[in-house]
Amino acid sequence: MVFDARAIEIPLNSHVRYVDTGTIGEVVDARTTNGIDWVKLDKTGLWYESNRVELLEEKDIKKGSWGNKDLDIENLKENTMNFEELELSSDSCNGGG
């Protein structure tokens, strides 16, 4: 058994929010290691200390969508990498003045 920041038990397949960043995900695994409780979230695949997450009620869960399209995290990462490779030049535009 693992508990959230409010000492509420976190069942598998429930939704939680990481309080530091607002990341929301479904709990796909839970474990205790060296006296610390952890939960693994489906969206990030990362482990979070259970006392740093809050169990969400169904009404608090926002579906991962942007307009009518589902968010594709891998696609967003790829687009971010493409943006990082963008080269800016000081002679690309002139200031008005």
Side-chain angles (χ1 to χ4, degrees):
M1 264 189 281
V2 296
F3 298 90
D4 76 351
R6 298 171 294 181
I8 300 171
E9 183 179 353
I10 303 172
L12 287 180
N13 304 317
S14 61
H15 287 83
V16 296
R17 176 180 34 241
Y18 182 54
V19 295
D20 292 340
T21 62
T23 300
I24 294 175
E26 182 178 341
V27 176
V28 294
D29 199 0
R31 66 175 54 152
T32 301
T33 305
N34 297 327
I36 300 172
D37 295 331
W38 299 88
V39 292
K40 184 177 183 180
L41 302 187
D42 66 333
K43 296 290 183 191
T44 61
L46 298 175
W47 289 90
Y48 298 84
E49 282 189 61
S50 69
N51 65 354
R52 305 294 301 158
V53 301
E54 294 178 328
L55 187 64
L56 296 176
E57 294 181 22
E58 194 67 33
K59 65 181 175 85
D60 296 327
I61 300 168
K62 292 183 181 177
K63 299 298 180 192
S65 63
W66 187 271
N68 292 329
K69 292 177 65 178
D70 285 338
L71 288 177
D72 182 349
I73 300 299
E74 293 305 316
N75 187 27
L76 290 173
K77 288 179 186 177
E78 184 177 314
N79 287 338
T80 300
M81 287 190 290
N82 291 338
F83 184 72
E84 290 172 353
E85 295 171 5
L86 181 66
E87 186 174 324
L88 298 177
S89 173
S90 63
D91 63 348
S92 63
C93 65
N94 295 319

